[in-house]
Amino acid sequence: MSAPSSDAIFPVPASWQRRAWFDNAAYRRDYQRSMHDPQRFWAEQAEHLDWFHHPTRIRDVSYGPEDIHIRWFEDGVLNASVNCLDRHLLERARKAAIVWEGDDPAESRTLSYAELHAEVCRLANGLKSLGICKGDRVTVYLPMVPEAAVAMLACARIGAMHSVVFAGFSAESLAGRIRDCDAKLLITADEGMRGGRRFALKANADEALKRCPSVQACVVLRRTGGEVAWLDGRDRWYHELVDHQASNCEPETMNAEDPLFVLYTSGSTGKPKGVLHTTAGYLLAASLTHRYVLDYHDEDVFWCTADIGWVTGHSYIVYGPLANGATTVMFEGVPTWPDASRFWQVIDKHRVSIFYTAPTAIRALIRQGDAPVRATSRKSLRLLGSVGEPINPEAWLWYYNVVGEQRCPIVDTWWQTETGASVIAPLPGAIATKPGSATLPFFGVEPVIVDEDGRVLEGECEGRLCLRDGGPGMLRTLYRDHDRFVQTYFSACPGLYFTGDGARRDKDGYFWITGRVDDVINVSGHRLGTAEVESALVAHPEVAEAAVVGYPHPVKGQGIYAYVTLKANTQPSDELRNALGQWVRKEIGPIAAPDQIQWASSLPKTRSGKIMRRVLRKIAAGDTTDLGDTSTLADATMVESLIDGRRTIA
Ligand code: ATP
Ligand code: MG
């Protein structure tokens, strides 16, 4: 088996050039326009939204060094829920807005645009009856059920900010996020369902609320019927709250720069940041990228597998698709339950045409082999997307060959909670793809690569990825911590937004994300991105997943320490360990060969599925007294077994 060549190019299929929104010439022309005449370009794009008052002031952006401010469409007035609901009622009232697929394959539910509109209005009226007003914060701690989207849109309708907290988080993590934004109300459920198991939500909420004096009321959705404790005066059943409410609710008039939501980042690198997004710029970025990068057309069924608790769920389950009048699939379950065919079964069941998932899910499924995929049809699919981490060329090729049967282009979309929407990604009708590259910037986005001293590099180069402009979807601040906002994003490279990621630009101007800058390994003065070494390891036929970190090495400064998860039926052995060393040596060069390889049955990940290398770094260094903030870790027990495994190596 040959290793993937990073030079492989997948041209735009001829049929796509005709059908997609942009061909190559059109992309280049509009990208140039967005750079050279942003006021005009974005004034035109703004017409994709429905306004109560159209904006005349389009773009007022400064990334410093002195003044840092980001304002878009400043004098425009609109409401996000009107854009996602009301404006579709004339033509699409009976079209499916949300197709919900339950954890149990026998359960599904469809809400038309008319039904979703009514549900949102009822809850909006209910929230008002509880005293929630424009500007208040509402924390949403719900499983993947339509009511989660309803809650977000109901907040948007009355001008309250939502803060969605992933339902897998503990009471402590929930409390921290409620307190950080002083939420007045919490919306939760009795329990959630995932992979055939129930998990407690109300019990966690009760625990959290002991430490959250700002919360005056707790609205509880009945999802499983499981038993819950009840605090009279504070707790309200969701169904009782909405039952007698009118199915119409006058939308609040919102200024373009009024806050829409606050959302905490995954916490891969440390304490989560309360990213604040405002109304118009965010909504436009989410809907335009959903239309152009994910190539949404009217007849599509769109499925993004992210959780609503992450920005990907916000932008590509709720705001982007609904603003475009799309049918958006919402999935409560997991990819491997009841069996490893589940994703593909759901695609067949709902005739999904555009599918958007994360490398972590793809790698988990690769581990199960091709048979669970081949057992399904997937004929409805025409486009595949990836987001969340660098996608290794090997995983990219499997996604392309096995899942998409070489018929579906792949869009690898690089972005962050902070950017609100995709910022580096191919437009599938315009840009030839290369496995492992997020390719080229979206309209209005100007990425630059700088060296360690902050000097801008030109042409083919590698360094730190910054943005001179990130477009209208950029965060406006960190909630109530503007100093941290300036410090985190604008102090490393004055005048630029620093992403925290490293990147390489190749001869075609394509961007390759090399991993987080914090994760770069310096071996005898050579800087190596984690993504590159991990991709080489994953390209080996026996390897399912790999995480690479640096550790103190007496000679080289840093040595390379690799944690390797093998495919389902492969046994670890010293021969394999040696073979992997040789393999990387051949793929990248002797400098990248791991000094240590530790077998790992699984890797520590954030709850959004990202490998937490900072914890692995500590373990590799044998320094496990303080692992830092691990509240966003999905499975803390596995860390113990990695620490044990480390002892056998040392
Ligand atoms: P924190 O900022 O709290 O450490 P986080 O960065 O994991 O958490 P997110 O905003 O959810 O929080 O993730 C954004 C990051 O995910 C990016 O900065 C990048 O490192 C990674 N990422 C997302 N998409 C891609 C992609 N297509 N290719 C490479 N990396 C990606
Ligand atoms: Mg980040």
Side-chain angles (χ1 to χ4, degrees):
M1 177 162 178
S2 71
S5 150
S6 53
D7 304 333
I9 296 186
F10 290 72
V12 175
S15 58
W16 274 78
Q17 294 180 23
R18 286 190 300 275
R19 187 172 183 282
W21 295 103
F22 289 86
D23 64 14
N24 191 270
Y27 162 71
R28 291 191 183 274
R29 187 196 60 222
D30 273 19
Y31 181 74
Q32 289 309 324
R33 285 184 59 225
S34 77
M35 286 292 112
H36 295 129
D37 193 1
Q39 305 289 343
R40 198 118 128 238
F41 179 83
W42 287 107
E44 286 167 23
Q45 299 307 316
E47 293 310 304
H48 285 288
L49 298 180
D50 245 33
W51 300 88
F52 299 139
H53 178 279
H54 290 258
T56 61
R57 282 150 62 193
I58 303 301
R59 178 180 180 276
D60 178 10
V61 171
S62 169
Y63 283 7
E66 274 82 48
D67 188 26
I68 294 167
H69 65 263
I70 306 175
R71 291 192 279 266
W72 286 83
F73 314 115
E74 231 186 317
D75 59 343
V77 179
L78 77 171
N79 181 288
S81 82
V82 169
N83 275 276
C84 291
L85 301 168
D86 306 50
R87 67 161 157 168
H88 305 310
L89 293 183
L90 217 52
E91 286 179 1
R92 301 187 182 88
R94 287 200 281 187
K95 178 175 176 174
I98 296 179
V99 171
W100 175 76
E101 169 77 11
D103 183 55
D104 176 347
E107 259 190 296
S108 58
R109 188 178 149 199
T110 299
L111 277 99
S112 67
Y113 271 94
E115 289 163 339
L116 184 61
H117 175 265
E119 292 273 332
V120 167
C121 287
R122 273 195 285 267
L123 181 60
N125 287 326
L127 295 180
K128 284 207 273 192
S129 77
L130 295 174
I132 301 301
C133 310
K134 184 171 177 170
D136 287 342
R137 274 81 50 215
V138 173
T139 297
V140 176
Y141 182 59
L142 283 172
M144 287 288 285
V145 290
E147 285 78 3
V150 171
M152 292 163 72
L153 292 167
C155 289
R157 193 151 193 101
I158 63 172
M161 296 161 64
H162 56 73
S163 166
V164 182
V165 176
F166 173 52
F169 275 134
S170 65
E172 195 186 333
S173 304
L174 173 63
R177 286 162 178 73
I178 292 175
R179 275 208 307 266
D180 191 78
C181 70
D182 273 329
K184 234 170 136 174
L185 183 102
L186 175 66
I187 305 180
T188 188
D190 47 4
E191 298 173 310
M193 288 291 296
R194 251 168 93 86
R197 288 200 213 114
R198 294 174 174 208
F199 58 93
L201 286 172
K202 176 63 163 60
N204 288 351
D206 288 337
E207 188 56 37
L209 291 185
K210 285 182 192 157
R211 282 164 277 160
C212 299
S214 64
V215 173
Q216 295 160 11
C218 177
V219 176
V220 186
L221 177 77
R222 189 175 272 154
R223 165 66 189 102
T224 64
E227 237 171 81
V228 292
W230 207 253
L231 190 65
D232 283 328
R234 184 195 70 187
D235 297 346
R236 299 287 296 263
W237 283 111
Y238 184 105
H239 57 270
E240 287 175 4
L241 178 68
V242 300
D243 256 3
H244 301 289
Q245 300 293 346
S247 57
N248 252 316
C249 171
E250 198 57 35
E252 192 69 46
T253 51
M254 302 299 284
N255 189 270
E257 282 298 340
D258 281 338
L260 181 60
F261 63 84
V262 59
L263 177 63
Y264 294 86
T265 54
S266 312
S268 305
T269 52
K271 184 173 175 279
K273 302 170 276 276
V275 167
L276 182 98
H277 283 290
T278 55
T279 306
Y282 168 79
L283 191 62
L284 184 61
S287 59
L288 276 188
T289 50
H290 175 255
R291 186 191 303 261
Y292 296 148
V293 176
L294 293 156
D295 194 60
Y296 172 73
H297 287 73
D298 248 350
E299 62 280 12
D300 282 310
V301 175
F302 179 81
W303 181 19
C304 163
T305 69
D307 193 279
I308 212 110
W310 313 121
V311 72
T312 309
H314 281 55
S315 302
Y316 300 110
I317 296 176
V318 181
Y319 287 110
L322 296 178
N324 289 331
T327 296
T328 179
V329 175
M330 189 173 184
F331 177 45
E332 189 183 30
V334 296
T336 47
W337 192 86
D339 60 56
S341 284
R342 187 71 196 277
F343 267 2
W344 328 119
Q345 289 158 357
V346 174
I347 286 171
D348 286 349
K349 177 171 172 186
H350 299 296
R351 296 195 187 79
V352 171
S353 52
I354 307 172
F355 179 66
Y356 191 28
T357 195
T360 182
I362 297 170
R363 289 190 302 256
L365 291 166
I366 292 176
R367 219 180 157 191
Q368 310 292 326
D370 298 357
V373 189
R374 303 234 190 259
T376 61
S377 153
R378 289 157 286 112
K379 282 287 172 289
S380 56
L381 281 180
R382 63 180 193 86
L383 181 67
L384 300 171
S386 171
V387 60
E389 282 184 293
I391 178 163
N392 329 103
E394 191 67 13
W396 194 104
L397 290 169
W398 184 84
Y399 200 26
Y400 181 78
N401 289 323
V402 180
V403 176
E405 293 174 332
Q406 306 183 345
R407 182 179 75 243
C408 309
I410 293 187
V411 289
D412 174 9
T413 62
W414 177 83
W415 58 295
Q416 314 178 292
T417 310
E418 293 88 340
T419 67
S422 292
V423 281
I424 303 182
L427 303 190
I431 299 170
T433 53
K434 306 183 189 183
S437 170
T439 76
L440 297 171
F442 191 68
F443 305 127
V445 175
E446 192 181 358
V448 289
I449 296 182
V450 304
D451 68 13
E452 271 179 87
D453 302 319
R455 275 187 301 255
V456 174
L457 304 174
E458 305 291 340
E460 272 183 77
C461 57
E462 182 167 342
R464 302 173 167 211
L465 180 62
C466 293
L467 302 174
R468 188 166 276 137
D469 193 343
M474 290 299 281
L475 81 168
R476 301 307 195 247
T477 190
L478 292 178
Y479 192 61
R480 288 183 178 163
D481 201 349
H482 198 68
D483 289 345
R484 189 178 178 203
F485 167 74
V486 171
Q487 180 60 31
T488 307
Y489 306 110
F490 296 96
S491 64
C493 315
L496 300 172
Y497 166 89
F498 174 46
T499 65
D501 288 348
R504 177 164 68 82
R505 186 168 45 213
D506 72 13
K507 62 181 191 323
D508 299 320
Y510 279 37
F511 289 88
W512 300 73
I513 308 301
T514 52
R516 293 165 198 275
V517 169
D518 295 349
D519 294 337
V520 163
I521 309 173
N522 195 330
V523 183
S524 310
H526 300 271
R527 300 171 66 77
L528 289 167
T530 48
E532 200 180 3
V533 187
E534 288 164 9
S535 288
L537 284 166
V538 171
H540 190 280
E542 307 300 340
V543 174
E545 192 154 44
V548 163
V549 297
Y551 74 108
H553 189 285
V555 181
K556 304 179 183 178
Q558 277 190 309
I560 299 179
Y561 196 105
Y563 298 83
V564 171
T565 306
L566 295 171
K567 292 243 171 89
N569 296 319
T570 303
Q571 293 306 318
S573 69
D574 285 344
E575 289 75 62
L576 185 53
R577 201 192 297 268
N578 292 335
L580 289 181
Q582 288 304 323
W583 174 271
V584 176
R585 201 172 277 272
K586 187 175 106 266
E587 289 300 301
I588 309 180
I591 190 77
D595 298 276
Q596 304 279 10
I597 293 179
Q598 178 176 337
W599 308 120
S601 54
S602 58
L603 297 170
K605 292 188 182 167
T606 63
R607 290 175 192 263
S608 55
K610 294 166 199 279
I611 297 171
M612 237 197 230
R613 289 185 195 73
R614 67 185 162 85
V615 168
L616 293 173
R617 250 195 318 267
K618 291 257 182 183
I619 297 174
D623 165 23
T624 49
T625 41
D626 176 18
L627 291 177
D629 183 352
T630 51
S631 61
T632 63
L633 209 55
D635 172 11
T637 58
M638 161 255 290
V639 170
E640 291 302 318
S641 81
L642 287 175
I643 293 174
D644 285 346
R646 172 73 180 95
R647 291 201 188 98
T648 63
I649 299 253

